Amino acid sequence: MPPAKRKPRTYDPALVRAGLIGQVESVRIAVHQLTPEQLARPSGLPGWDVHHLVVHIAGQIEAVPRLLAEPPPRVAGPQADLNTWAVSTAAVADRLDAATRKHAQEYESAAQAVDDAVEQLEPVLEQAVRPDVLLPHGFGAMRALDFTVTRLVELVVHGDDLVRATGVRVPPARQALAAAVRLLADALAAKAPGSSVEVRIPPFAVVQCVEGPRHTRGTPPNVVETDPLTWIRLATGRTDWARELDAAHLTASGERADLREHLPVLG
Protein backbone atom coordinates (compact mmCIF):
# COMPACT_ATOMS: atom_id res chain seq x y z
CA MET A 1 0.00 0.00 0.00
CA PRO A 2 1.54 3.36 -1.01
CA PRO A 3 2.25 5.86 1.78
CA ALA A 4 -0.43 8.46 2.41
CA LYS A 5 0.28 11.79 0.80
CA ARG A 6 1.44 14.32 3.37
CA LYS A 7 -0.41 17.58 3.70
CA PRO A 8 1.92 20.46 2.76
CA ARG A 9 3.30 22.36 5.72
CA THR A 10 2.07 25.91 6.12
CA TYR A 11 4.23 28.87 7.11
CA ASP A 12 2.98 31.89 9.02
CA PRO A 13 3.75 35.05 6.99
CA ALA A 14 4.48 37.08 10.14
CA LEU A 15 7.01 34.51 11.37
CA VAL A 16 8.62 34.22 7.94
CA ARG A 17 8.93 38.00 7.78
CA ALA A 18 10.50 38.08 11.25
CA GLY A 19 12.90 35.30 10.29
CA LEU A 20 13.92 37.11 7.12
CA ILE A 21 14.55 40.40 8.91
CA GLY A 22 16.50 38.70 11.69
CA GLN A 23 18.63 36.51 9.44
CA VAL A 24 19.42 39.30 6.98
CA GLU A 25 20.54 41.53 9.84
CA SER A 26 22.67 38.76 11.37
CA VAL A 27 24.42 38.17 8.05
CA ARG A 28 24.82 41.90 7.36
CA ILE A 29 26.50 42.55 10.71
CA ALA A 30 28.86 39.61 10.20
CA VAL A 31 29.83 40.68 6.70
CA HIS A 32 30.82 44.14 7.88
CA GLN A 33 33.24 42.57 10.38
CA LEU A 34 35.21 40.65 7.74
CA THR A 35 38.80 41.65 7.07
CA PRO A 36 40.44 41.59 3.62
CA GLU A 37 42.34 38.49 4.75
CA GLN A 38 39.11 36.71 5.70
CA LEU A 39 37.44 37.69 2.41
CA ALA A 40 40.32 36.08 0.51
CA ARG A 41 40.02 32.74 2.32
CA PRO A 42 38.49 29.68 0.63
CA SER A 43 34.76 29.60 1.32
CA GLY A 44 34.49 25.81 1.43
CA LEU A 45 32.40 25.91 -1.76
CA PRO A 46 34.14 24.84 -5.00
CA GLY A 47 36.04 27.67 -6.66
CA TRP A 48 34.72 30.43 -4.40
CA ASP A 49 36.57 32.54 -1.87
CA VAL A 50 34.66 34.30 0.91
CA HIS A 51 34.21 37.38 -1.28
CA HIS A 52 32.29 35.20 -3.78
CA LEU A 53 30.25 33.70 -0.96
CA VAL A 54 29.21 37.09 0.42
CA VAL A 55 28.25 38.38 -3.01
CA HIS A 56 26.21 35.21 -3.51
CA ILE A 57 24.44 35.86 -0.20
CA ALA A 58 23.63 39.36 -1.43
CA GLY A 59 22.13 37.79 -4.53
CA GLN A 60 19.82 35.61 -2.44
CA ILE A 61 18.51 38.71 -0.67
CA GLU A 62 18.20 40.75 -3.87
CA ALA A 63 16.25 37.97 -5.60
CA VAL A 64 13.12 38.82 -3.59
CA PRO A 65 12.69 42.43 -4.76
CA ARG A 66 13.92 41.51 -8.24
CA LEU A 67 11.25 38.86 -8.82
CA LEU A 68 8.58 41.02 -7.20
CA ALA A 69 9.40 43.76 -9.74
CA GLU A 70 8.87 41.44 -12.72
CA PRO A 71 5.48 40.98 -14.41
CA PRO A 72 3.47 38.30 -12.57
CA PRO A 73 3.12 34.93 -14.30
CA ARG A 74 -0.09 34.45 -16.28
CA VAL A 75 -1.20 31.30 -14.51
CA ALA A 76 -4.04 30.60 -12.12
CA GLY A 77 -1.91 29.19 -9.32
CA PRO A 78 1.57 28.08 -8.25
CA GLN A 79 3.43 25.59 -10.41
CA ALA A 80 6.39 24.97 -8.09
CA ASP A 81 6.26 24.32 -4.36
CA LEU A 82 8.96 24.14 -1.70
CA ASN A 83 9.78 20.50 -2.37
CA THR A 84 10.18 21.24 -6.08
CA TRP A 85 12.62 24.01 -5.26
CA ALA A 86 14.64 21.88 -2.85
CA VAL A 87 15.19 18.94 -5.18
CA SER A 88 15.75 21.11 -8.29
CA THR A 89 18.48 23.47 -7.12
CA ALA A 90 21.29 21.23 -8.37
CA ALA A 91 20.00 21.70 -11.92
CA VAL A 92 20.81 25.42 -11.86
CA ALA A 93 24.10 25.23 -9.95
CA ASP A 94 26.22 26.12 -13.00
CA ARG A 95 24.06 29.14 -13.78
CA LEU A 96 24.24 30.36 -10.19
CA ASP A 97 28.01 29.89 -10.18
CA ALA A 98 28.41 31.96 -13.33
CA ALA A 99 26.16 34.73 -12.00
CA THR A 100 28.06 34.81 -8.69
CA ARG A 101 31.43 35.09 -10.42
CA LYS A 102 30.14 37.93 -12.59
CA HIS A 103 28.74 39.85 -9.62
CA ALA A 104 31.90 39.25 -7.59
CA GLN A 105 33.87 41.07 -10.29
CA GLU A 106 31.38 43.94 -10.31
CA TYR A 107 31.54 44.53 -6.55
CA GLU A 108 34.90 45.51 -5.10
CA SER A 109 33.21 45.59 -1.67
CA ALA A 110 31.23 42.46 -0.80
CA ALA A 111 29.70 44.30 2.17
CA GLN A 112 28.37 46.94 -0.21
CA ALA A 113 26.70 44.22 -2.26
CA VAL A 114 24.82 43.08 0.85
CA ASP A 115 23.93 46.66 1.82
CA ASP A 116 22.54 47.32 -1.66
CA ALA A 117 20.46 44.13 -1.54
CA VAL A 118 19.07 44.97 1.90
CA GLU A 119 18.14 48.47 0.73
CA GLN A 120 16.11 46.95 -2.12
CA LEU A 121 14.46 44.39 0.16
CA GLU A 122 13.18 46.71 2.88
CA PRO A 123 10.37 48.41 0.87
CA VAL A 124 8.88 45.05 -0.25
CA LEU A 125 8.96 43.07 3.01
CA GLU A 126 5.17 42.94 3.33
CA GLN A 127 4.65 41.85 -0.26
CA ALA A 128 7.42 39.26 0.06
CA VAL A 129 5.38 37.13 2.46
CA ARG A 130 2.02 37.29 0.70
CA PRO A 131 0.62 33.84 -0.15
CA ASP A 132 -1.62 35.33 -2.87
CA VAL A 133 1.21 36.88 -4.94
CA LEU A 134 2.85 34.72 -7.63
CA LEU A 135 6.45 35.17 -8.72
CA PRO A 136 7.92 34.13 -12.09
CA HIS A 137 10.47 31.57 -10.91
CA GLY A 138 12.60 29.44 -13.21
CA PHE A 139 11.08 26.24 -11.81
CA GLY A 140 7.56 27.56 -12.41
CA ALA A 141 5.37 30.17 -10.77
CA MET A 142 5.90 30.27 -7.00
CA ARG A 143 3.99 31.95 -4.22
CA ALA A 144 5.91 34.92 -2.84
CA LEU A 145 5.63 33.45 0.66
CA ASP A 146 7.16 30.16 -0.48
CA PHE A 147 9.98 31.87 -2.33
CA THR A 148 10.80 33.91 0.75
CA VAL A 149 10.93 30.71 2.81
CA THR A 150 13.57 29.45 0.35
CA ARG A 151 15.55 32.62 1.05
CA LEU A 152 15.59 31.70 4.73
CA VAL A 153 17.17 28.37 3.80
CA GLU A 154 19.77 30.07 1.63
CA LEU A 155 20.64 32.64 4.29
CA VAL A 156 20.90 30.11 7.12
CA VAL A 157 22.98 27.68 5.06
CA HIS A 158 25.34 30.32 3.71
CA GLY A 159 25.53 32.04 7.08
CA ASP A 160 26.87 28.75 8.43
CA ASP A 161 29.29 28.55 5.47
CA LEU A 162 30.54 31.99 6.50
CA VAL A 163 31.05 30.86 10.10
CA ARG A 164 33.04 27.80 9.08
CA ALA A 165 35.18 29.72 6.59
CA THR A 166 36.02 32.75 8.73
CA GLY A 167 35.07 32.13 12.36
CA VAL A 168 32.86 35.24 12.39
CA ARG A 169 29.63 34.88 14.41
CA VAL A 170 26.42 34.60 12.39
CA PRO A 171 23.79 33.63 14.98
CA PRO A 172 20.76 32.24 13.12
CA ALA A 173 17.43 33.91 13.71
CA ARG A 174 15.18 31.32 15.39
CA GLN A 175 12.35 31.58 12.87
CA ALA A 176 14.78 31.36 9.97
CA LEU A 177 16.48 28.30 11.47
CA ALA A 178 13.11 26.65 12.10
CA ALA A 179 11.98 27.22 8.52
CA ALA A 180 15.24 25.88 7.08
CA VAL A 181 15.07 22.72 9.18
CA ARG A 182 11.42 22.10 8.32
CA LEU A 183 11.77 22.71 4.60
CA LEU A 184 14.73 20.35 4.33
CA ALA A 185 13.02 17.70 6.45
CA ASP A 186 9.88 17.87 4.33
CA ALA A 187 11.99 17.64 1.17
CA LEU A 188 13.60 14.45 2.51
CA ALA A 189 10.14 12.99 3.14
CA ALA A 190 9.16 13.87 -0.43
CA LYS A 191 12.39 12.48 -1.90
CA ALA A 192 12.19 9.21 0.08
CA PRO A 193 8.45 8.73 0.71
CA GLY A 194 7.34 6.19 3.27
CA SER A 195 6.70 5.68 6.96
CA SER A 196 9.34 3.24 8.14
CA VAL A 197 11.84 5.80 9.51
CA GLU A 198 11.09 8.69 11.83
CA VAL A 199 13.50 11.62 11.59
CA ARG A 200 13.55 13.94 14.58
CA ILE A 201 15.21 17.36 14.58
CA PRO A 202 14.15 18.88 17.91
CA PRO A 203 12.70 21.32 18.58
CA PHE A 204 11.60 22.07 15.03
CA ALA A 205 10.60 19.02 13.01
CA VAL A 206 9.59 15.36 12.95
CA VAL A 207 8.96 13.60 9.64
CA GLN A 208 8.53 10.02 8.47
CA CYS A 209 10.19 8.73 5.35
CA VAL A 210 11.59 5.65 3.52
CA GLU A 211 9.49 2.81 2.19
CA GLY A 212 8.93 -0.17 4.45
CA PRO A 213 6.66 -1.42 7.22
CA ARG A 214 4.43 1.33 8.51
CA HIS A 215 4.74 2.21 12.19
CA THR A 216 1.42 2.62 14.02
CA ARG A 217 2.01 2.83 17.79
CA GLY A 218 4.69 3.10 20.46
CA THR A 219 8.33 3.90 19.75
CA PRO A 220 9.15 3.58 16.04
CA PRO A 221 11.63 0.78 15.23
CA ASN A 222 13.73 3.07 13.02
CA VAL A 223 14.60 6.50 14.42
CA VAL A 224 17.10 9.16 13.35
CA GLU A 225 17.70 12.14 15.60
CA THR A 226 20.05 15.08 15.29
CA ASP A 227 20.31 18.79 16.08
CA PRO A 228 19.20 21.55 13.69
CA LEU A 229 22.66 22.61 12.52
CA THR A 230 23.89 19.08 11.90
CA TRP A 231 20.70 18.32 9.98
CA ILE A 232 21.13 21.38 7.78
CA ARG A 233 24.74 20.43 7.03
CA LEU A 234 23.72 16.84 6.19
CA ALA A 235 20.79 17.91 4.04
CA THR A 236 22.94 20.34 2.02
CA GLY A 237 26.02 18.15 1.64
CA ARG A 238 28.24 20.20 3.96
CA THR A 239 29.07 17.09 5.99
CA ASP A 240 28.52 13.36 5.68
CA TRP A 241 26.58 10.73 7.58
CA ALA A 242 29.52 8.67 8.84
CA ARG A 243 31.39 11.68 10.21
CA GLU A 244 28.41 12.96 12.19
CA LEU A 245 27.56 9.48 13.45
CA ASP A 246 31.14 9.03 14.68
CA ALA A 247 31.05 12.47 16.33
CA ALA A 248 27.81 11.56 18.15
CA HIS A 249 26.04 14.52 16.53
CA LEU A 250 23.57 12.01 15.13
CA THR A 251 21.87 8.87 16.40
CA ALA A 252 20.32 6.22 14.17
CA SER A 253 18.56 3.11 15.50
CA GLY A 254 16.96 0.36 13.47
CA GLU A 255 17.94 -1.54 10.34
CA ARG A 256 16.39 1.06 8.02
CA ALA A 257 17.72 4.12 9.83
CA ASP A 258 20.67 4.75 7.50
CA LEU A 259 19.74 7.72 5.34
CA ARG A 260 23.02 8.29 3.52
CA GLU A 261 21.63 7.14 0.15
CA HIS A 262 18.95 9.87 0.40
CA LEU A 263 21.38 12.67 1.30
CA PRO A 264 22.03 15.41 0.51
CA VAL A 265 18.51 16.68 -0.07
CA LEU A 266 19.44 20.08 -1.45
CA GLY A 267 21.71 20.24 -4.44
Side-chain angles (χ1 to χ4, degrees), residues 3 188-195 208-212:
L188 170 66
K191 182 179 180 181
S195 303
Q208 293 187 344
C209 59
V210 183
E211 291 183 351

Side-chain angles (χ1 to χ4, degrees), residues 2-4 192-198 208-216 220-222:
S195 303
S196 68
V197 180
E198 185 165 285
Q208 293 187 344
C209 59
V210 183
E211 291 183 351
R214 183 178 178 84
H215 168 70
T216 56
N222 302 285

Side-chain angles (χ1 to χ4, degrees), residues 23 27 30-31 34 38-39 41-46 48-57 60 100 152-172 177 229 232-239 266-267:
Q23 192 65 28
V27 168
V31 164
L34 296 175
Q38 287 173 313
L39 285 162
R41 291 181 188 176
S43 69
L45 302 176
W48 289 4
D49 59 20
V50 173
H51 177 86
H52 286 90
L53 173 60
V54 174
V55 170
H56 181 71
I57 290 171
Q60 306 315 300
T100 296
L152 298 185
V153 178
E154 294 279 3
L155 290 170
V156 169
V157 170
H158 290 311
D160 182 50
D161 290 336
L162 199 57
V163 172
R164 291 183 294 114
T166 67
V168 68
R169 288 187 71 251
V170 189
L177 182 63
L229 192 55
I232 287 170
R233 291 174 178 175
L234 284 167
T236 60
R238 266 61 175 179
T239 188
L266 192 66

Side-chain angles (χ1 to χ4, degrees), residues 104-147:
Q105 291 178 339
E106 294 171 351
Y107 270 99
E108 182 176 346
S109 167
Q112 187 62 53
V114 172
D115 287 346
D116 288 350
V118 172
E119 184 177 356
Q120 295 175 56
L121 176 65
E122 287 175 345
V124 300
L125 281 169
E126 298 301 331
Q127 195 176 8
V129 294
R130 285 180 56 176
D132 60 332
V133 171
L134 291 180
L135 301 182
H137 195 275
F139 300 152
M142 286 189 76
R143 300 191 310 161
L145 175 62
D146 287 347
F147 184 69

Side-chain angles (χ1 to χ4, degrees), residues 167-254:
V168 68
R169 288 187 71 251
V170 189
R174 181 177 176 82
Q175 295 300 338
L177 182 63
V181 167
R182 290 165 181 158
L183 186 155
L184 294 170
D186 291 344
L188 170 66
K191 182 179 180 181
S195 303
S196 68
V197 180
E198 185 165 285
V199 180
R200 302 170 179 171
I201 310 112
F204 298 128
V206 177
V207 297
Q208 293 187 344
C209 59
V210 183
E211 291 183 351
R214 183 178 178 84
H215 168 70
T216 56
R217 65 174 68 183
T219 302
N222 302 285
V223 177
V224 173
E225 184 165 334
T226 189
D227 62 274
L229 192 55
T230 299
W231 166 242
I232 287 170
R233 291 174 178 175
L234 284 167
T236 60
R238 266 61 175 179
T239 188
D240 63 64
W241 183 268
R243 179 184 302 144
E244 301 305 328
L245 203 58
D246 289 345
H249 296 155
L250 161 71
T251 60
S253 60

